Amino acid sequence: MNYEQLCAIAEAESGYLNDESIIKIYLASSAGNDAANHLCSAFQREIERQGASARVIRAGSYGYYGLEPIVVIERPDRPAFMYRNVTPDQAINLIRESPASSGAFCCLGGENIGGVPHVSELPLFRFQNRIALRNCGWVDPENINHYILRGHGYGGFAQALGLNPGKLAGELIRSTPRCRSGSGPYSPENWTKCRETEAIDKYLICHAADEDAGASTAQLLLGSDPHSVLEGMLISAYAVGASRGVLYVKEGFGRAAKIGRALEQMRKYNLLGDHILDSSFRCEIEVREVPESVTAGDGRAIFHTLHENQIAPYLSPTYPGIGEFRGKAVAITNAETMSGVSAWFPKGRASKVVTLQGSIAHPYRVEVPPDTSIRSLLEGIGIGEAGDQYIRAVLIGGPAGVFLSADSLDLPISYIADEAIGSNAASGFITVFDNGACMVEATKDAMSYITAQSCGKCFFCREGSRQICNILEDISDRRGKPGDLDLLMELGEEMRVACLCSFGKNASNPVLSSIRLFRGDYESKLGGVDS
Amino acid sequence: MVNLNIDGRQIETQEGRSILDAALSAGIYIPHLCHHPDLSSLGACRLCVVEVDGMKDLVASCTAQAEDGMKVVTRAERIGRARKLAMELMLAGHPAECGTCNKYLNCELQSLKQYLACEGIRFRRRTKPFPLVKDNPLFVHDFSRCVGCGRCVRACQELRGVGVLFYKKSKREGYIGTCGDLPLAESGCRFCGACADVCPTGAIMDKQELREGKSRKSALVPCTYSCPAEIDVPRYVRFIRLKDYSAAAAAIREKVPFPAVLGYVCRYPCEAACRRGQVNQPVSIRNLKRYAKRRLWEAGRRRHPLTGKKIAVIGAGPAGLTAAYYLTNRGHAVTVFESMPCAGGMMRYGIPEYRLPRSVLDGEIADLEAAGVLICTHTCIESTDWLFRKGYGAVLVAVGAHKGKRPRISGAECGGVFTGVDFLKNVNTGIRAHIGEKVVVLGGGNVALDCARVARRLGARQVRIACIESRAEVPADREQLEQAEAEGVGIDFSKSFTRVLERNKKCAGVEFLDVQSFSFDEDKNLQLEVVENSYQSVEADAVIFAIGQEPEIPEGFGVAVAANSRIETDDYSLRTSKEGVFAAGDAASGAGSLIEAIASGRKAAVAIDLFLEGDGNIEEQLAPIVEPDGYLGPGDGFASMSRCGEACVPPPLRWSNFSPVLKDMDEDAANRESSRCLQCDLRLGISTVRIWGNY
């Protein structure tokens, strides 16, 4: 089966997506959203009652969690409208001939109809450049046809098969922004090394069990648009010469089973196995659950599961992905990069998925160009105009990231992934602390999360983060002792060297950066015992 | 080779070794904890940090490779500070009190704490909320003492390939546990003990009661070290598992000249000690021994050059023949004198044929004769001086204990009353005893059971045993007891016999009293407490006393005999009061088991060889020395594998004849049973960490 034949089947099975004569209702929500389930049945009932020529498309989440369920209605006779926080009662009105604009969030065509803003007028959309997240909210994640029909899914891969793998690898490396992939193990430069290694077994590993549970971009992607990640894996596997792909997901919630069904659909379309799309390319992708014992750790740890049943934070003298790991060459990447690869192939446009959280009106997951400044992003999407007066600090790069004070907010988003600040690369996580926040408490909370996340295998990460937590708790309860701040700094600095994986090496980031920036907060809690 | 400089010393080491290894083998101590010589290095504890010229940060010397031209400093103020920080961090979550810990003075953490002089701890001290877990077999877990070095996890994974130990977290604390926190037995654990061996603290330890008062070897490999002859049990069981049966037979034969006989009648102290017994049931070691011995072993033995020295052994029982065999091997000319028509001693004249087929015994004796042992039967020796005059340089008295004891009670001497030893000897030499229909055997040992079961086979319809012990105290083997009861032998426990009832100078019955309790005083005299007026009696056509036996030592031997009729010997050298005369087996130590007699014979051989100016080394190597494969692999279902015990011929087929009671196991069963072995001996192969005091 070649790509054209594949598209023909998809068209035959799910042609309603391109049928302009029917009403299409896109119902987007995170998985397991009860309100969305009720809403869906309300729509179905209403369609049946009215005998309307309509179709409900059950899509995944956009990442605008506060707005769910989100509904987009496309009708033959008028522009599409988007509605937020839709209730079953509303559903009836939406299908009826009531004014489409009533209660609409924005319109997707025309402009400013009935006082409803056009999508480009809303800051939430204006700032964004959705590439990796392009299909999120628009396709049924359980249906490969949706992925194929919307934006020529797997077309990029079909094209890639006609290219020289070496050239393709170079192209991918060039077009993948560092902030997307992260540095270190995930850096795309390693792909070339994997490609050039002479090993019989080559693996492409996609680590979709986010190190930082708070960011969980991978979970959004796998839940809303798994094929964008899987197509990216096929393209990358072809480029690095791997015939095996392994997708690591977190245990639980039937995640692995869902991906398993997606893989079955791919197999049906000749996208896995031998002679993929009638070419000589051969590739198998399997999904594995990251064992319970791994709650954190860097990508390197994941290699161990290829051989052993327990991930151990062993230090390797050279990074194994570069060359061989016990006879196997490995390239490692993450879900966001893979979804990006399938979208921007063959020409790259840069963007980065960012998660906004904390003292903020709209906790969203969005995708923006990397040169967007933190300040403009927050002012535009997160908190509005209050800006400098409102923000005391942000924690960037997830809980194991670093604190920035309000005067550093002009840094671009790409800076989050910069090694220089040592934050947890690529997590794209921004937590906002407002003017009333006590930075001792903020740091304590971050460290408490880290303590819980530490996998416990590396001594300094486990014990160090635990001690930092305990000392911060004491200071917070005004039970701090003389010398505590020096001790925190000494321990924190040692952890940066002593911990075995990148999570551990960064685990003391919050406390180190917070003491440097906000020493006054600590000293007032210590009540002079430390001066 | 790589040349590097450590603390100003030029050190040469192999390529690929770590700085730590290079330093330690050059005698330069670097403190370390998570590193273990047999395991991959982790670099996690940071106690082994050193300064390497040209590197900004301190590096963990266990994971850093030694490189040519490297300059390493192991002691500096900055290094000390880093090590101390790591140690403080470790101790903050570890119990402060060392004295109450069973690992006290054996603890690597404690030794490191002293080395780093780490007294004040700046961190917040806390107690880890993990209880002491004693529910698992063999091991005690106390994860409040765990420092999370992960050595056990690596040992389980890398050394053994079992992989059931994981780093886990609970209540914000790290500990080591199994998948789903299942008990070890359900997790696929193989109970090899590698985890306990590598644990540097008291977090995973062998149960105290299994180690107390024992040397490391005898605590860890109790099967071998509870065996008087120290047969290397794990080794031959391993050969059986690998289906190399002749090697298995040879491995047993290295320590005992009667492996097949032992396969039938050994009282297997090894099985009582077997650590597998703590998990579910002990390995059926004797059964496996009998299986192995069905195969021939290649006679690869090496006889030493002749010494020209002559040795006389009096008594061709297990002790005498064993000594004779090893002394012959040492190059001496050994003659064994036996007063009975055949060699074998108690193996032939005591043990009934249904327990030990005579062909098996004959085969093994023939084997010894083929090895050069000369046996003169029908020869009664009365004087050791006569032997010396005949040119023998040394004499071993191994005449056994063949005189049955009779209690001093009324009727003990009347007709129809026998001692067990005489009764069995008569039966075994073909002299038919007239025992009638009803037989009462008095005694609670294996001999009593032998007498009762022989009586049953000779046609007695009603056979009863009476003994002063309760069922729980009875010294006979459990297995023998069950077989006897299955054959219809009735047993009256806790009975004291007061007299033999007489009718026409012939016994007619026995009178008993119920025993409340009994004990032995300082002089080993029996102290009985009976239930008053609990007199009762049973009828008997014959009464057999099986209450013990003692040696009969002719005066002509010229050796001092103790009050209990045993020859007085020096425990270590087995020398008697007479120069050149040694004593072994039951004659020296009183009635004991076969394996004890064999062990005693070995000891005598060593002593006599030394006396005759040999080096006393009687060890043989008959089976190949194979480095055992310690990589055991996953052990799902291992702990629940049940014992393939001894199978017997059904009772109705046994009580009318003397054919063997025990059935042999088949190959499948032997392989399965041998794979139940915990391979405790692997643990002796794990390196011991040298602490700083040893540098």
Side-chain angles (χ1 to χ4, degrees):
Chain A
M1 189 187 298
N2 60 29
Y3 185 64
E4 283 68 38
Q5 292 165 317
L6 179 157
C7 287
I9 299 177
E11 178 64 38
E13 287 182 2
S14 304
Y16 56 84
L17 278 183
N18 292 333
D19 184 351
E20 289 181 356
S21 67
I22 61 167
I23 306 173
K24 278 167 284 183
I25 302 162
Y26 293 89
L27 168 52
S29 77
S30 315
N33 184 327
D34 281 342
N37 292 339
H38 291 145
L39 183 58
C40 187
S41 1
F43 274 127
Q44 300 286 14
R45 274 198 307 275
E46 189 58 24
I47 290 168
E48 217 167 291
R49 208 176 59 77
Q50 292 188 17
S53 172
R55 184 101 194 192
V56 179
I57 292 144
R58 196 60 205 276
S61 173
Y62 287 90
Y64 316 140
Y65 304 113
L67 307 182
E68 288 175 2
I70 295 174
V71 171
V72 169
I73 298 191
E74 280 179 4
R75 307 181 77 114
D77 52 343
R78 65 172 78 130
F81 281 90
M82 179 186 272
Y83 306 83
R84 48 176 278 196
N85 303 111
V86 182
T87 62
D89 294 342
Q90 262 178 294
I92 300 164
N93 291 329
L94 289 180
I95 296 179
R96 278 194 197 142
E97 289 301 307
S98 59
S101 55
S102 77
F105 182 42
C106 60
C107 68
L108 304 175
E111 44 184 277
N112 208 334
I113 300 164
V116 176
H118 184 259
V119 63
S120 61
E121 291 170 43
L122 293 177
L124 174 60
F125 300 100
R126 199 177 66 228
F127 274 92
Q128 287 201 67
N129 178 24
R130 287 170 79 92
I131 295 171
L133 304 180
R134 62 192 180 280
N135 287 329
C136 291
W138 285 101
V139 295
D140 180 352
E142 307 255 343
N143 190 338
I144 192 174
N145 294 335
H146 283 216
Y147 180 70
I148 293 167
L149 294 177
R150 185 167 281 280
H152 298 290
Y154 289 106
F157 169 58
Q159 240 179 299
L161 288 175
L163 296 180
N164 170 300
K167 248 178 98 180
L168 176 62
E171 184 64 30
L172 295 180
I173 292 165
R174 197 191 55 70
S175 62
T176 299
R178 197 181 180 76
C179 60
R180 177 93 91 187
S181 63
S183 53
Y186 293 93
S187 149
E189 281 82 42
N190 288 326
W191 297 357
T192 321
K193 288 158 189 158
C194 175
R195 209 186 70 73
E196 288 166 358
T197 301
E198 286 187 25
I200 298 166
D201 276 346
K202 289 190 187 178
Y203 285 74
L204 178 89
I205 293 180
C206 178
H207 191 357
D210 275 347
E211 291 171 25
D212 174 0
S216 56
T217 307
Q219 282 173 50
L220 174 63
L221 279 167
L222 294 180
S224 300
D225 189 21
H227 288 285
S228 67
V229 177
L230 294 168
E231 184 185 354
M233 286 180 73
L234 280 179
I235 295 172
S236 310
Y238 176 72
V240 302
S243 57
R244 300 276 300 273
V246 186
L247 177 63
Y248 280 96
V249 299
K250 282 205 165 167
E251 265 182 344
F253 299 108
R255 290 188 187 103
K258 271 187 196 157
I259 302 298
R261 287 198 291 276
L263 291 173
E264 276 317 301
Q265 295 171 353
M266 286 173 73
R267 197 174 300 284
K268 207 179 88 190
Y269 282 150
N270 192 19
L271 290 166
L272 285 179
D274 294 334
H275 305 294
I276 292 176
L277 295 183
D278 295 345
S279 73
S280 60
F281 180 55
R282 180 171 64 85
C283 189
E284 286 294 342
I285 295 179
E286 62 177 305
V287 57
R288 292 195 197 180
E289 294 188 319
V290 173
E292 169 200 23
S293 56
V294 182
T295 49
D298 67 8
R300 180 165 43 205
I302 215 85
F303 291 122
H304 292 271
T305 63
L306 290 178
H307 295 267
E308 294 160 25
N309 59 4
Q310 177 157 212
I311 294 171
Y314 301 117
L315 267 184
S316 315
T318 54
Y319 170 65
I322 289 171
E324 291 179 35
F325 180 66
R326 299 196 190 169
K328 293 178 163 65
V330 180
I332 188 161
T333 182
N334 62 17
E336 185 185 336
T337 307
M338 286 298 96
S339 183
V341 162
S342 61
W344 64 55
F345 175 81
K347 243 202 224 138
R349 281 178 296 155
S351 72
K352 169 71 195 150
V353 178
V354 175
T355 305
L356 302 176
Q357 194 176 300
S359 302
I360 199 169
H362 308 296
Y364 297 143
R365 177 161 295 133
V366 293
E367 190 171 355
V368 294
D371 54 2
T372 313
S373 77
I374 299 173
R375 187 187 309 279
S376 64
L377 181 64
L378 289 177
E379 287 178 354
I381 297 177
I383 52 170
E385 298 297 326
D388 281 359
Q389 281 75 51
Y390 180 77
I391 298 174
R392 173 118 201 258
V394 292
L395 177 61
I396 61 168
V402 294
F403 283 101
L404 296 180
S405 60
D407 50 22
S408 308
L409 297 184
D410 291 321
L411 292 166
I413 292 299
S414 59
Y415 181 75
I416 296 177
D418 194 323
E419 275 176 297
I421 62 162
S423 83
N424 204 354
S427 84
F429 195 78
I430 300 178
T431 313
V432 178
F433 297 89
D434 64 36
N435 256 327
C438 167
M439 295 317 291
V440 177
E441 299 300 316
T443 312
K444 191 185 79 181
D445 292 346
M447 288 309 300
S448 174
Y449 179 82
I450 286 170
T451 308
Q453 285 291 297
S454 168
C455 77
K457 289 174 182 146
C458 151
F459 170 72
F460 258 88
C461 176
R462 182 186 69 236
E463 298 293 325
S465 58
R466 178 67 200 267
Q467 280 297 340
I468 290 174
C469 241
N470 285 0
I471 296 171
L472 288 175
E473 279 162 14
D474 278 3
I475 295 176
S476 156
D477 294 347
R478 299 186 181 275
R479 284 186 281 113
K481 293 178 191 164
D484 271 352
L485 289 187
D486 290 343
L487 186 58
L488 285 173
M489 293 301 282
E490 185 185 342
L491 175 58
E493 290 294 348
E494 183 65 17
M495 282 171 70
R496 295 180 61 83
V497 182
C499 291
L500 299 182
C501 81
S502 65
F503 177 87
K505 285 182 193 298
N506 289 319
S508 58
N509 277 339
V511 69
L512 291 177
S513 57
S514 149
I515 294 179
R516 281 190 194 115
L517 289 172
F518 309 104
R519 199 176 178 100
D521 283 29
Y522 290 84
E523 281 168 348
S524 75
K525 290 258 188 183
L526 282 161
V529 296
D530 202 43
S531 51
Chain B
M1 294 303 265
V2 165
N3 277 292
L4 73 163
N5 183 303
I6 304 181
D7 291 345
R9 272 178 60 190
Q10 214 49 41
I11 285 165
E12 196 182 57
T13 189
Q14 285 135 358
E15 212 157 315
R17 295 187 79 198
S18 67
I19 298 174
L20 179 66
D21 284 343
L24 292 178
S25 41
I28 299 171
Y29 180 70
I30 298 175
H32 55 277
L33 184 83
C34 69
H35 169 83
H36 185 282
D38 296 352
L39 304 172
S40 66
S41 290
L42 202 60
C45 75
R46 300 286 291 182
L47 291 181
C48 70
V49 289
V50 293
E51 237 171 38
V52 175
D53 214 25
M55 284 171 129
K56 184 171 118 285
D57 296 321
L58 298 178
V59 299
S61 61
C62 64
T63 47
Q65 263 188 30
E67 283 166 25
D68 220 20
M70 212 177 220
K71 240 182 111 187
V72 178
V73 174
T74 71
R75 280 155 215 258
E77 197 262 325
R78 173 183 169 215
I79 297 171
R81 218 162 356 111
R83 288 179 184 165
K84 214 159 180 166
L85 185 79
M87 183 44 92
E88 280 181 68
L89 205 49
M90 216 172 276
L91 293 174
H94 189 83
E97 185 50 61
C98 280
T100 56
C101 176
N102 282 335
K103 194 86 172 189
Y104 185 57
L105 299 179
N106 265 323
C107 174
E108 281 178 50
L109 184 66
Q110 186 190 16
S111 106
L112 285 162
K113 177 183 158 188
Q114 288 162 352
Y115 178 81
L116 295 169
C118 197
E119 290 309 326
I121 292 176
R122 290 171 292 166
F123 293 114
R124 308 300 194 253
R125 292 207 81 119
R126 64 184 201 276
T127 307
K128 295 186 183 172
F130 300 117
L132 185 69
V133 177
K134 292 177 168 175
D135 307 346
N136 287 305
L138 297 169
F139 310 117
V140 179
H141 290 174
D142 185 356
F143 290 118
S144 68
R145 299 188 183 278
C146 176
V147 292
C149 66
R151 279 172 21 175
C152 53
V153 176
R154 278 173 285 156
C156 190
Q157 180 84 53
E158 298 170 7
L159 279 186
R160 299 288 176 252
V162 179
V164 294
L165 293 183
F166 293 87
Y167 289 93
K168 311 265 285 190
K169 276 180 85 183
S170 163
K171 301 167 200 152
R172 295 165 81 202
E173 293 285 6
Y175 68 104
I176 305 298
T178 58
C179 198
D181 286 324
L182 290 172
L184 287 180
E186 291 166 38
S187 71
C189 173
R190 285 182 176 275
F191 296 94
C192 67
C195 50
D197 224 79
V198 298
C199 180
T201 70
I204 305 181
M205 291 184 69
D206 294 292
K207 287 193 171 166
Q208 191 65 8
E209 61 266 30
L210 298 174
R211 286 205 77 149
E212 215 144 41
K214 291 182 188 160
S215 71
R216 177 174 154 82
K217 276 181 164 184
S218 59
L220 298 187
V221 194
C223 49
T224 295
Y225 295 94
S226 65
C227 174
E230 297 194 359
I231 299 177
D232 195 342
V233 178
R235 179 158 164 248
Y236 80 75
V237 172
R238 185 174 292 121
F239 277 130
I240 294 175
R241 188 167 53 81
L242 299 173
K243 304 194 176 182
D244 190 348
Y245 306 111
S246 25
I252 306 167
R253 185 61 171 72
E254 283 179 6
K255 295 287 186 184
V256 292
F258 295 102
V261 173
L262 285 168
Y264 281 92
V265 296
C266 187
R267 295 190 70 176
Y268 47 79
C270 49
E271 291 189 25
C274 176
R275 282 161 65 89
R276 172 90 210 194
Q278 304 283 323
V279 178
N280 57 353
Q281 307 103 20
V283 175
S284 195
I285 300 173
R286 190 182 73 185
N287 220 345
L288 287 173
K289 184 183 287 138
R290 196 164 72 250
Y291 182 80
K293 252 320 278 181
R294 284 159 58 193
R295 307 301 177 103
L296 289 175
W297 53 283
E298 316 270 327
R301 79 170 74 87
R302 183 171 51 95
R303 196 174 160 178
H304 287 259
L306 295 179
T307 59
K309 289 173 178 158
K310 284 171 68 185
I311 300 164
V313 174
I314 309 172
L321 289 175
T322 299
Y325 167 73
Y326 287 108
L327 287 167
T328 306
N329 262 3
R330 295 291 307 159
H332 307 297
V334 186
T335 310
V336 185
F337 298 98
E338 171 59 53
S339 61
M340 296 295 287
C342 292
M346 278 297 187
M347 295 185 285
R348 186 177 303 275
Y349 297 110
I351 298 171
E353 195 168 356
Y354 62 85
R355 278 178 61 198
L356 174 60
R358 292 301 181 252
S359 57
V360 170
L361 176 61
D362 292 342
E364 298 212 307
I365 291 172
D367 220 17
L368 301 186
E369 287 179 309
V373 177
L374 190 64
I375 304 173
C376 296
T377 51
H378 293 294
T379 312
C380 188
I381 300 295
E382 295 287 347
S383 154
T384 49
D385 285 334
W386 181 80
L387 290 168
F388 288 123
R389 281 199 298 277
K390 285 277 176 191
Y392 291 98
V395 175
L396 175 66
V397 181
V399 296
H402 288 263
K403 188 181 170 203
K405 290 184 189 167
R406 276 180 199 251
R408 293 197 187 91
I409 56 174
S410 147
E413 306 289 338
C414 73
V417 179
F418 310 91
T419 65
V421 196
D422 291 341
F423 173 70
L424 291 173
K425 190 189 281 179
N426 283 345
V427 174
N428 283 325
T429 44
I431 302 168
R432 194 67 190 257
H434 297 284
I435 50 169
E437 296 261 294
K438 295 175 183 164
V439 177
V440 173
V441 181
L442 302 170
N446 279 347
V447 176
L449 293 170
D450 286 346
C451 293
R453 294 171 69 189
V454 166
R456 189 88 177 90
R457 281 167 174 76
L458 292 177
R461 287 182 185 279
Q462 194 190 323
V463 181
R464 300 202 70 78
I465 292 178
C467 58
I468 57 170
E469 298 92 351
S470 66
R471 183 178 278 276
E473 298 160 331
V474 79
D477 294 339
R478 214 83 340 220
E479 167 201 56
Q480 300 289 319
L481 199 67
E482 284 161 15
Q483 288 174 14
E485 289 186 310
E487 287 165 16
V489 174
I491 303 177
D492 297 309
F493 295 100
S494 301
K495 304 284 180 204
S496 165
F497 22 96
T498 46
R499 60 189 174 118
V500 177
L501 305 170
E502 278 180 79
R503 192 184 303 137
N504 303 329
K505 303 231 164 170
K506 245 195 116 271
C507 75
V510 185
E511 186 185 72
F512 301 118
L513 271 172
D514 286 338
V515 172
Q516 183 99 52
S517 67
F518 73 95
S519 57
F520 294 92
D521 70 5
E522 286 158 6
D523 301 327
K524 295 194 177 162
N525 290 320
L526 180 65
Q527 302 294 307
L528 262 184
E529 202 180 311
V530 294
V531 180
E532 279 189 45
N533 294 321
S534 58
Y535 290 103
Q536 54 206 278
S537 60
V538 291
E539 287 181 21
D541 302 325
V543 173
I544 302 171
F545 286 114
I547 55 170
Q549 56 245 40
E550 53 193 25
E552 260 183 311
I553 310 298
E555 273 187 33
F557 284 4
V559 295
V561 174
N564 54 17
S565 310
R566 297 171 199 170
I567 300 175
E568 285 181 2
T569 52
D570 173 70
D571 276 349
Y572 178 71
S573 67
L574 299 180
R575 286 171 188 240
T576 65
S577 61
K578 184 165 181 175
E579 175 76 4
V581 179
F582 297 77
D586 289 358
S589 50
S593 67
L594 172 59
I595 187 71
E596 283 163 354
I598 292 172
S600 171
R602 284 176 59 88
K603 206 164 150 188
V606 173
I608 293 171
D609 189 51
L610 285 169
F611 175 72
L612 296 176
E613 290 159 358
D615 62 7
N617 180 7
I618 60 165
E619 295 303 327
E620 290 184 288
Q621 194 226 309
L622 304 174
I625 302 288
V626 181
E627 183 67 29
D629 181 7
Y631 197 85
L632 305 172
D636 298 313
F638 176 76
S640 59
M641 283 174 78
S642 57
R643 170 183 162 101
C644 171
E646 298 279 12
C648 299
V649 174
L653 300 180
R654 341 192 248 222
W655 58 51
S656 59
N657 60 63
F658 281 82
S659 48
V661 167
L662 293 181
K663 287 206 269 192
D664 290 335
M665 66 195 328
D666 60 22
E667 183 167 3
D668 278 355
N671 290 333
R672 192 181 145 77
E673 187 60 21
S674 59
S675 68
R676 290 180 66 235
C677 177
L678 304 184
Q679 306 194 49
C680 303
D681 61 334
L682 290 178
R683 223 170 128 176
L684 300 179
I686 297 177
S687 310
T688 314
V689 176
R690 285 170 72 196
I691 58 171
W692 60 279
N694 300 335
Y695 281 83

